[in-house]
Each structure stands twice: as C-alpha cells, then as structure tokens.
Amino acid sequence: MASEGTGDSLLVARRQGVKAKPESARDEWVVECAAQLFLEGGLSSVKMTDIADASGVGVATLYRRFKSKTRLSVEAATLLWKRFNERICELVESDDFLTMNGADRLETLLREYGAHYVANREFVSFLDEFDHLVLSEGVEGGELESYGREVDSFYIIFDDAYRLGVSDGSVLILPDFATFYKSVAHALVSVAEKMARGEVIPSDDFSDGMEELDCIVDMAVKYVRK
C-alpha cells in the first residue's frame, strides 16, 4: 500500500509540474510524448487517452490545444523530421564534409539518408502511416506548411552540394536537378518503407535491404558524377 501511495504522489507531482509549464512549453512536451508513442506503438494504435496519460495533460486540454489526433500527428511528424534534419546539419557542418567537393557531398548525403532509414525503421513506418492518414483525412496544404518546410529543407542542403559540384566541376549539369533529386529520394524511401513493413510475398527478400539502398545511391552518383 505504501508503494502505491508513493506512486500516486509521484503521478500527482508530475501532473502538477506539467500544468505549471507555460502553454507553449506544455504543447511541446505533448508533441514530444506523442511522437515517442507513435514510434513505439504505431500511429493508428495510439489514442488521445494514451497521449494524455504519457504527457500528464488532460484529454480535454489535448483537444482544446490540438483539436484532433490528426493535427497532433502533423505536429509530431514535423518534430521527427526536424530531428532528422538536425542530424544532417551536424554532418554538413563537420570538417570532413566541408573539405569535400560537390560530388562527394552528394554521395555522402545520399548514403546518410539511406543509413538513417535503416537505423530508424520505426520512423520509416511512422512516415508510411502518416502519409496514408493525410490522404484519408484530407488534410489541407495549409496545415502541412511547417511539416513541408522540414521535409524540403533536406533538398536545400542537397541542392547546395549540387551547385558546388557544378562550380568545382565534379558533377554534370543536369537538365532538371529537382526531378533527379525527387526520383532518388522517392526510390530510397520506397525501399526503406518496404523493409520496415516486412516481407509480403516470398520474393520480398529484404535481407539485403541495405545493399538495395546502396545500389540506388551508386546509380545516382554514377549518373551525376562528372
């Protein structure tokens, strides 16, 4: 009984601590908790009550602040992409990366992109579920503005590397670089999502999934490298 009382006291203290935070800080905490739950349990299986329990914020408050689970999912997806971009920024700002020519930067970015997907299958599974949610719920473009900026920010880094490659002569001048980028990015995402979902038919053998991603990168680099 004593342990139960202690647990209850800790829960009350935690909830009081959350309530004492400014609304902006509390919202960030809720999004953090939601993102973690989505990664651990899958987007479809997590309920608003689960997020309320994990964050220490009442369900009514969640709906007042975020309106719906879908909107909260958008916030969580934005946060997860922001974390991925922070990892890429660390790479871009490293001394080794800054000494590379444009072609080597492109290859390094693509391999990091693929390696991140392999190392974070929960993130890939979440993105797959999130895309389906956005389409099924008819989420409008305005609601995805911040999310889109986080996703597109990787393209900006990639484009900078390409422009450097054109300047230093290490890459070819492509007729449509944006299409090249989207084709490679979509191919990497597609393989990563299939790896995360698992084998559906016998021919879906993803034991060499990383090799498939490497093959896509190899073809892309060979296509663009001068």
mmCIF file of all heavy atoms in Angstrom, residues 93-113:
data_model
loop_
_atom_site.group_PDB
_atom_site.id
_atom_site.type_symbol
_atom_site.label_atom_id
_atom_site.label_comp_id
_atom_site.label_asym_id
_atom_site.label_seq_id
_atom_site.Cartn_x
_atom_site.Cartn_y
_atom_site.Cartn_z
ATOM 1 N N GLU A 93 28.025 20.416 -41.209
ATOM 2 C CA GLU A 93 28.920 21.362 -40.547
ATOM 3 C C GLU A 93 30.235 20.731 -40.099
ATOM 4 O O GLU A 93 31.099 21.422 -39.559
ATOM 5 C CB GLU A 93 28.206 21.964 -39.336
ATOM 6 C CG GLU A 93 27.012 22.848 -39.717
ATOM 7 C CD GLU A 93 26.150 23.212 -38.531
ATOM 8 O OE1 GLU A 93 26.483 22.770 -37.407
ATOM 9 O OE2 GLU A 93 25.155 23.932 -38.722
ATOM 10 N N SER A 94 30.408 19.431 -40.337
ATOM 11 C CA SER A 94 31.638 18.757 -39.912
ATOM 12 C C SER A 94 32.806 19.156 -40.807
ATOM 13 O O SER A 94 32.636 19.521 -41.971
ATOM 14 C CB SER A 94 31.451 17.235 -39.955
ATOM 15 O OG SER A 94 31.304 16.784 -41.293
ATOM 16 N N ASP A 95 34.020 19.086 -40.265
ATOM 17 C CA ASP A 95 35.216 19.466 -41.016
ATOM 18 C C ASP A 95 35.412 18.580 -42.239
ATOM 19 O O ASP A 95 35.806 19.067 -43.304
ATOM 20 C CB ASP A 95 36.445 19.380 -40.101
ATOM 21 C CG ASP A 95 36.435 20.435 -38.997
ATOM 22 O OD1 ASP A 95 35.738 21.463 -39.181
ATOM 23 O OD2 ASP A 95 37.096 20.235 -37.972
ATOM 24 N N ASP A 96 35.165 17.282 -42.080
ATOM 25 C CA ASP A 96 35.349 16.358 -43.210
ATOM 26 C C ASP A 96 34.430 16.728 -44.373
ATOM 27 O O ASP A 96 34.859 16.739 -45.535
ATOM 28 C CB ASP A 96 35.069 14.915 -42.772
ATOM 29 C CG ASP A 96 36.155 14.357 -41.867
ATOM 30 O OD1 ASP A 96 37.250 14.943 -41.842
ATOM 31 O OD2 ASP A 96 35.894 13.356 -41.186
ATOM 32 N N PHE A 97 33.176 17.025 -44.064
ATOM 33 C CA PHE A 97 32.216 17.351 -45.115
ATOM 34 C C PHE A 97 32.607 18.639 -45.822
ATOM 35 O O PHE A 97 32.498 18.746 -47.057
ATOM 36 C CB PHE A 97 30.813 17.488 -44.516
ATOM 37 C CG PHE A 97 29.710 17.618 -45.538
ATOM 38 C CD1 PHE A 97 29.141 16.491 -46.117
ATOM 39 C CD2 PHE A 97 29.250 18.867 -45.931
ATOM 40 C CE1 PHE A 97 28.132 16.603 -47.057
ATOM 41 C CE2 PHE A 97 28.234 18.995 -46.868
ATOM 42 C CZ PHE A 97 27.683 17.862 -47.434
ATOM 43 N N LEU A 98 33.075 19.614 -45.073
ATOM 44 C CA LEU A 98 33.393 20.918 -45.655
ATOM 45 C C LEU A 98 34.599 20.866 -46.585
ATOM 46 O O LEU A 98 34.784 21.768 -47.413
ATOM 47 C CB LEU A 98 33.642 21.940 -44.537
ATOM 48 C CG LEU A 98 32.405 22.297 -43.696
ATOM 49 C CD1 LEU A 98 32.790 23.207 -42.535
ATOM 50 C CD2 LEU A 98 31.342 22.966 -44.566
ATOM 51 N N THR A 99 35.414 19.816 -46.476
ATOM 52 C CA THR A 99 36.569 19.691 -47.370
ATOM 53 C C THR A 99 36.244 18.914 -48.645
ATOM 54 O O THR A 99 37.082 18.818 -49.539
ATOM 55 C CB THR A 99 37.727 18.981 -46.649
ATOM 56 O OG1 THR A 99 37.314 17.668 -46.254
ATOM 57 C CG2 THR A 99 38.170 19.771 -45.420
ATOM 58 N N MET A 100 35.029 18.362 -48.745
ATOM 59 C CA MET A 100 34.650 17.551 -49.906
ATOM 60 C C MET A 100 34.261 18.426 -51.092
ATOM 61 O O MET A 100 33.791 19.552 -50.923
ATOM 62 C CB MET A 100 33.450 16.653 -49.559
ATOM 63 C CG MET A 100 33.706 15.614 -48.505
ATOM 64 S SD MET A 100 32.177 14.673 -48.167
ATOM 65 C CE MET A 100 32.717 13.649 -46.801
ATOM 66 N N ASN A 101 34.446 17.852 -52.305
ATOM 67 C CA ASN A 101 33.902 18.532 -53.480
ATOM 68 C C ASN A 101 32.398 18.246 -53.561
ATOM 69 O O ASN A 101 31.849 17.490 -52.761
ATOM 70 C CB ASN A 101 34.629 18.102 -54.750
ATOM 71 C CG ASN A 101 34.490 16.607 -55.057
ATOM 72 O OD1 ASN A 101 33.512 15.965 -54.670
ATOM 73 N ND2 ASN A 101 35.467 16.053 -55.764
ATOM 74 N N GLY A 102 31.745 18.842 -54.524
ATOM 75 C CA GLY A 102 30.296 18.718 -54.614
ATOM 76 C C GLY A 102 29.816 17.297 -54.813
ATOM 77 O O GLY A 102 28.836 16.867 -54.180
ATOM 78 N N ALA A 103 30.484 16.542 -55.679
ATOM 79 C CA ALA A 103 30.066 15.165 -55.950
ATOM 80 C C ALA A 103 30.171 14.293 -54.707
ATOM 81 O O ALA A 103 29.272 13.495 -54.416
ATOM 82 C CB ALA A 103 30.905 14.574 -57.079
ATOM 83 N N ASP A 104 31.243 14.441 -53.957
ATOM 84 C CA ASP A 104 31.413 13.658 -52.735
ATOM 85 C C ASP A 104 30.381 14.047 -51.682
ATOM 86 O O ASP A 104 29.918 13.205 -50.917
ATOM 87 C CB ASP A 104 32.826 13.846 -52.179
ATOM 88 C CG ASP A 104 33.890 13.178 -53.035
ATOM 89 O OD1 ASP A 104 33.523 12.288 -53.830
ATOM 90 O OD2 ASP A 104 35.076 13.546 -52.925
ATOM 91 N N ARG A 105 30.026 15.326 -51.651
ATOM 92 C CA ARG A 105 28.986 15.759 -50.712
ATOM 93 C C ARG A 105 27.645 15.123 -51.063
ATOM 94 O O ARG A 105 26.910 14.675 -50.176
ATOM 95 C CB ARG A 105 28.858 17.282 -50.718
ATOM 96 C CG ARG A 105 30.042 18.014 -50.089
ATOM 97 C CD ARG A 105 29.753 19.501 -49.947
ATOM 98 N NE ARG A 105 30.909 20.225 -49.421
ATOM 99 C CZ ARG A 105 30.897 21.498 -49.052
ATOM 100 N NH1 ARG A 105 29.776 22.204 -49.181
ATOM 101 N NH2 ARG A 105 31.982 22.081 -48.588
ATOM 102 N N LEU A 106 27.321 15.096 -52.348
ATOM 103 C CA LEU A 106 26.071 14.471 -52.774
ATOM 104 C C LEU A 106 26.026 13.002 -52.368
ATOM 105 O O LEU A 106 25.015 12.510 -51.848
ATOM 106 C CB LEU A 106 25.905 14.600 -54.291
ATOM 107 C CG LEU A 106 25.591 15.993 -54.837
ATOM 108 C CD1 LEU A 106 25.596 15.969 -56.357
ATOM 109 C CD2 LEU A 106 24.246 16.478 -54.316
ATOM 110 N N GLU A 107 27.104 12.305 -52.619
ATOM 111 C CA GLU A 107 27.146 10.881 -52.276
ATOM 112 C C GLU A 107 27.034 10.681 -50.770
ATOM 113 O O GLU A 107 26.295 9.793 -50.305
ATOM 114 C CB GLU A 107 28.443 10.254 -52.786
ATOM 115 C CG GLU A 107 28.552 8.774 -52.463
ATOM 116 C CD GLU A 107 29.760 8.104 -53.100
ATOM 117 O OE1 GLU A 107 30.484 8.778 -53.864
ATOM 118 O OE2 GLU A 107 29.965 6.902 -52.822
ATOM 119 N N THR A 108 27.744 11.494 -49.999
ATOM 120 C CA THR A 108 27.700 11.375 -48.543
ATOM 121 C C THR A 108 26.300 11.622 -48.006
ATOM 122 O O THR A 108 25.808 10.897 -47.134
ATOM 123 C CB THR A 108 28.688 12.371 -47.900
ATOM 124 O OG1 THR A 108 30.016 12.082 -48.348
ATOM 125 C CG2 THR A 108 28.639 12.285 -46.379
ATOM 126 N N LEU A 109 25.620 12.635 -48.543
ATOM 127 C CA LEU A 109 24.264 12.947 -48.107
ATOM 128 C C LEU A 109 23.305 11.800 -48.419
ATOM 129 O O LEU A 109 22.475 11.417 -47.582
ATOM 130 C CB LEU A 109 23.781 14.231 -48.780
ATOM 131 C CG LEU A 109 24.406 15.538 -48.276
ATOM 132 C CD1 LEU A 109 24.039 16.689 -49.207
ATOM 133 C CD2 LEU A 109 23.958 15.837 -46.853
ATOM 134 N N LEU A 110 23.402 11.249 -49.614
ATOM 135 C CA LEU A 110 22.514 10.156 -50.004
ATOM 136 C C LEU A 110 22.745 8.916 -49.145
ATOM 137 O O LEU A 110 21.798 8.240 -48.740
ATOM 138 C CB LEU A 110 22.708 9.824 -51.478
ATOM 139 C CG LEU A 110 22.092 10.804 -52.475
ATOM 140 C CD1 LEU A 110 22.490 10.434 -53.897
ATOM 141 C CD2 LEU A 110 20.576 10.820 -52.344
ATOM 142 N N ARG A 111 23.990 8.603 -48.863
ATOM 143 C CA ARG A 111 24.278 7.422 -48.045
ATOM 144 C C ARG A 111 23.805 7.643 -46.607
ATOM 145 O O ARG A 111 23.313 6.706 -45.962
ATOM 146 C CB ARG A 111 25.768 7.089 -48.084
ATOM 147 C CG ARG A 111 26.243 6.676 -49.465
ATOM 148 C CD ARG A 111 27.510 5.876 -49.462
ATOM 149 N NE ARG A 111 27.975 5.652 -50.825
ATOM 150 C CZ ARG A 111 27.459 4.760 -51.668
ATOM 151 N NH1 ARG A 111 26.459 3.996 -51.272
ATOM 152 N NH2 ARG A 111 27.950 4.633 -52.895
ATOM 153 N N GLU A 112 23.925 8.857 -46.118
ATOM 154 C CA GLU A 112 23.424 9.162 -44.778
ATOM 155 C C GLU A 112 21.909 9.040 -44.741
ATOM 156 O O GLU A 112 21.333 8.541 -43.770
ATOM 157 C CB GLU A 112 23.849 10.574 -44.382
ATOM 158 C CG GLU A 112 23.359 11.031 -43.014
ATOM 159 C CD GLU A 112 23.992 10.265 -41.868
ATOM 160 O OE1 GLU A 112 25.021 9.568 -42.088
ATOM 161 O OE2 GLU A 112 23.468 10.344 -40.740
ATOM 162 N N TYR A 113 21.268 9.486 -45.791
ATOM 163 C CA TYR A 113 19.816 9.392 -45.936
ATOM 164 C C TYR A 113 19.373 7.935 -45.822
ATOM 165 O O TYR A 113 18.482 7.595 -45.044
ATOM 166 C CB TYR A 113 19.459 9.953 -47.311
ATOM 167 C CG TYR A 113 18.051 10.476 -47.482
ATOM 168 C CD1 TYR A 113 17.552 11.472 -46.664
ATOM 169 C CD2 TYR A 113 17.241 9.997 -48.510
ATOM 170 C CE1 TYR A 113 16.275 11.972 -46.857
ATOM 171 C CE2 TYR A 113 15.964 10.499 -48.705
ATOM 172 C CZ TYR A 113 15.484 11.482 -47.877
ATOM 173 O OH TYR A 113 14.227 11.971 -48.062
#
